[in-house]
Structures are given as structure tokens and as C-alpha cells.
Amino acid sequence: MHILQLTPYYAPAYAFGGVVRAVEGLAGALAARGHRITILTTDALDQRRRYAGLLDETHGGIRIVRCRNASVWLRGRLNLSTPRDLRRAAKAILPDVDVLHLHELRTAENLLVTPLAEAVNAPIALSPHGTLSLGTGRTRLKAGWDRLLSGRLLARIGHIIALTDAEQSEAERLWADLGAPRQPLTSVIPNGVNLHEFASLPAATDFRARFGLGKAPTILYMGRLQARKGVDVLLRAFLAANVADSRLLIAGPDEGMLRTLRNMAARDERIVFAGYLDGSRRLEALGAADILALPAVGEGQPIAVLEALAASLPVVLSPGCNMNEVAEAGAGFVTEATAPAFAEKLRLLLQDEQARRQMGAAARRLARERYSWARAAAAVERVYAEMLESSR
């Protein structure tokens, strides 16, 4: 089966973001199952830069075709693509494609490519990746986009692959609210992790020495430094927990909050800003940490949390992470995204090494049983097969 994955950005060696990591993981697992994968995307690297490599290249048996953005500024500031030659690239690829898989809903790429897929009778699936809600940022832009553009796109989508039951319900409401002529089929298929990556993490000694963590129990935040992720709530919670021999390691690229966070930290040496950690450094951070915490709102299903579970870390999450199964499995806590609520759970874990070990073991079991990319790819493969059968 030849599957075309359409996404606004794809630079896994550089980019920090759950959508990129999800596309990378799913594409790799589908390729391992014998499918031919093409990723059609743009040259967006981050908020300010373009991808500097080849625009048409193959990695791990996956072909990646990138189209130039006319404006890097629009991509970075408003999350809007301006891809040149995308239609031409799609026209060349689509006649040989069995299924088109969209990643995120409100993109210029979808508007340009889905009519071409419809013309060659290629069924279309959508993974929203937690972006459907107007409350996840850029509310006015999303609402205007829906009024003007989303209606014509919804009718072309044959299947929604939601991450959670909540996202499935959200999709059904959006289709109804926008007056779509029909409701697409939906499936709930969680994100995954490559479990083998976390079977033997790097030794923590060098990483801890580099960032001055010593032997102190360490809370890890791994994500973009933006208000929706709740990193400011976490920092206040850490200060309120007031466990003297502990550390808070904040890792991620700045999206406007770094100065505020540094001011809040007030030169407290227990709070460490690591910047963006990619590749092996990300694994080193997970190997060195004792807890992962994320008081976010409007998340789909955070890859950082799944990786923490696979790395045997107990987690403290908000309901906005949509992972109540963590508490049910004894792998961590789900509590409201306030500083007092998070402080209580963090204090408990920071002061109880045995609880951290027990929850960490439960976290690894949960990842193994529910969140592997191999498992996700098998489920997505079944969706593709059903779509192809229906289209025939």
C-alpha cells in the first residue's frame, strides 16, 4: 500500500513538536510493516528558519518531498503555510497513492491537495492531533478559517483517526456545528513510542553533572515554553512544594515565556533551564529525571508523556493531557492544573523514592501494553484497508 502523509512541517532531526514526532513514528512503523510511505510537506524548520537539506530525499525507506514556503514569517507567527509548487508535487504523486492521510485539519496544504486526491479516488483520513478545539490557541484565526474554508474540506474526509475518546467527540461536534453533509467514520488510536529506544537509556551521571542536578530528585518539564503548556503553573507549584533537596529541569524551545519564567525563578539554583534537547540529549534528560510533570490544557495526547512512561518515569498531569489511564494504572497522578494541586503531588513524589520506583514500573508496563508505534501502525493499517474497500 502506498500512503501519502500530508503535514505542514516535517524535520524530525530538528523540530520540536508532537505532530512531527507522531508523523515520524507512525510513518516508520508503517514502513516496517511493508508499506510505501511518502511525506509531502513544506520547508518549515521552526518559527524562523527553513530546512536547509534536500527538498526531495529518502530516509529509512521513507520519501520526503518538501515545498518552499513563500513566507517564513507567516509560518512562524501565524502558523500559516504558503507552499509553492505543492499542487504540482501532489499531482505527480497522487496517481500512485492508495490513501491520503492528513495531519491537522486547518492547513493550506489540505485545501490544495484534497481536491486532487478526490479526483483520483484516493480515500482521505485525518489525524487532528489535538488541534480541533478553538481553545488551543489562535482562537480568532481558527474560527475565521472554519467560517470561510473548513466546510468544503470536511466533506472530503472519510475517516477521522482520533487520539482519545474526547477528541472523537470533539470531531463529531465540529462536523455537526459546521453543517457537514455527512459524519465521517471515526477510530480512536493512541499515539505511540519506539519502546526499544527506552530499553536502555544513557547513564545519568554526565547529564546531571552538566546541568548541576547532583543527586537531587528531579522533575522534568519537556515541551514548548508557552502558556498553554502550563510551564508557569509548574514552576509556581515547584516553589510551593518547597522541597529543599530537589530540582526542576525545564527543557524546550522558547515561544515567548522564557523571560517571564526566569523572572519567576528569581535565580533559584534549584530551577534549571536546559533549552531545546533533541536526539540523544532528550534521552539523557529522561534517563536523568525522576518525575515528568505537565499541567497543560488542550493537549491531544502528549508524546513527551508517552516517552516518560516508556522511560519508567512517574508522571503528574492535568486533565487537559487526556490521559486519565495514567492514574488508573498507578503510573502517576492526574490533578487540576493549579499550582497548589500540582505542588501537593510533586511534594509527595519528591519525598518518597519507593513511590517513584513503584509508579515508574507501572508507567513502563502501561507504555508497553498500550503505546507502541507497532501497535498504532497495525490499527491504522486496518483503517486504511477499510477505507480502500469502501472506495472500491
Side-chain angles (χ1 to χ4, degrees):
M1 196 183 300
H2 184 190
I3 302 123
L4 178 60
Q5 308 277 347
L6 183 64
T7 178
Y9 36 88
Y10 185 79
Y14 306 95
F16 192 98
V19 176
V20 173
R21 302 284 289 285
V23 175
E24 179 188 17
L26 178 61
L30 287 168
R33 293 180 68 85
H35 299 288
R36 185 151 58 103
I37 308 297
T38 301
I39 296 173
L40 181 58
T41 184
T42 74
D43 67 344
L45 181 61
D46 57 27
Q47 290 184 310
R48 300 178 182 86
R49 298 176 296 162
R50 298 180 186 274
Y51 182 76
L54 296 173
L55 295 181
D56 192 337
E57 56 186 348
T58 301
H59 284 300
I62 297 169
R63 183 187 178 196
I64 305 163
V65 179
R66 295 183 174 88
C67 299
R68 291 282 188 196
N69 273 297
S71 171
V72 177
W73 185 89
L74 283 172
R75 174 75 259 175
R77 292 298 298 273
L78 298 178
N79 204 31
L80 288 176
S81 295
T82 50
R84 296 170 172 166
D85 297 327
L86 186 76
R87 283 178 59 86
R88 185 169 63 183
K91 278 184 176 180
I93 298 167
L94 277 167
D96 188 39
V97 163
D98 295 296
V99 174
L100 171 63
H101 191 156
L102 314 178
H103 294 276
E104 297 188 56
L105 174 65
R106 302 173 182 94
T107 75
E109 290 81 4
N110 291 349
L111 297 176
L112 292 169
V113 174
T114 53
L116 304 177
E118 201 171 37
V120 297
N121 200 34
I124 300 170
L126 166 70
S127 288
H129 295 290
T131 64
L132 293 180
S133 171
L134 299 182
T136 58
R138 299 183 174 91
T139 302
R140 291 182 180 178
L141 182 61
K142 285 183 177 180
W145 184 282
D146 284 345
R147 283 196 304 272
L148 297 173
L149 301 170
S150 288
R152 70 189 73 173
L153 176 59
L154 301 190
R156 299 180 184 131
I157 294 169
H159 204 112
I160 298 169
I161 301 174
L163 294 172
T164 63
D165 292 339
E167 184 168 70
Q168 182 181 40
S169 299
E170 201 169 57
E172 291 168 354
R173 285 195 301 271
L174 180 64
W175 258 248
D177 289 346
L178 294 180
R182 62 182 175 89
Q183 281 276 356
L185 296 173
T186 59
S187 298
V188 177
I189 302 174
N191 276 328
V193 288
N194 292 317
L195 293 171
H196 66 273
E197 267 193 291
F198 303 91
S200 181
L201 290 168
T205 309
D206 290 345
F207 185 92
R208 280 184 161 268
R210 186 158 68 249
F211 288 100
L213 304 178
K215 295 183 178 179
T218 298
I219 301 163
L220 173 64
Y221 168 88
M222 190 172 284
R224 296 197 274 286
L225 306 189
Q226 58 175 227
R228 184 170 64 84
K229 299 288 187 177
V231 60
D232 56 330
V233 173
L234 176 58
L235 197 154
R236 288 196 299 272
F238 175 77
L239 293 172
N242 198 29
V243 178
D245 185 24
S246 63
R247 298 288 186 275
L248 172 61
L249 178 66
I250 297 176
D254 181 27
E255 292 196 357
M257 289 198 68
L258 181 58
R259 179 179 296 180
T260 299
L261 295 170
R262 287 192 183 278
N263 289 337
M264 290 171 60
R267 299 188 179 181
D268 188 325
E269 293 183 354
R270 298 174 302 161
I271 301 170
V272 180
F273 294 92
Y276 168 49
L277 303 177
D278 62 1
S280 62
R281 293 190 300 165
R282 180 184 98 258
L283 297 177
E284 288 174 1
L286 289 166
D290 298 283
I291 305 160
L292 181 127
L294 183 61
V297 296
E299 290 287 297
Q301 190 179 62
I303 295 287
V305 174
L306 302 187
E307 292 185 339
L309 297 175
S312 301
L313 291 184
V315 296
V316 182
L317 308 177
S318 60
C321 293
N322 288 302
M323 293 193 65
N324 290 336
E325 60 269 30
V326 160
E328 295 162 6
F333 298 108
V334 177
T335 188
E336 60 181 311
T338 65
F342 261 68
E344 177 189 350
K345 302 305 183 187
L346 294 176
R347 188 184 301 113
L348 189 157
L349 285 174
L350 287 170
Q351 294 177 335
D352 192 337
E353 184 178 354
Q354 183 177 357
R356 295 199 302 268
R357 282 201 303 269
Q358 290 173 346
M359 286 189 168
R364 177 68 183 181
R365 284 196 300 273
L366 180 61
R368 186 173 60 246
E369 292 169 4
R370 296 189 62 167
Y371 300 119
S372 74
W373 277 124
R375 182 187 179 100
V380 170
E381 179 183 70
R382 289 192 291 272
V383 169
Y384 292 161
E386 290 168 7
M387 293 175 71
L388 278 171
E389 184 63 29
S390 296
S391 71
R392 294 190 186 108

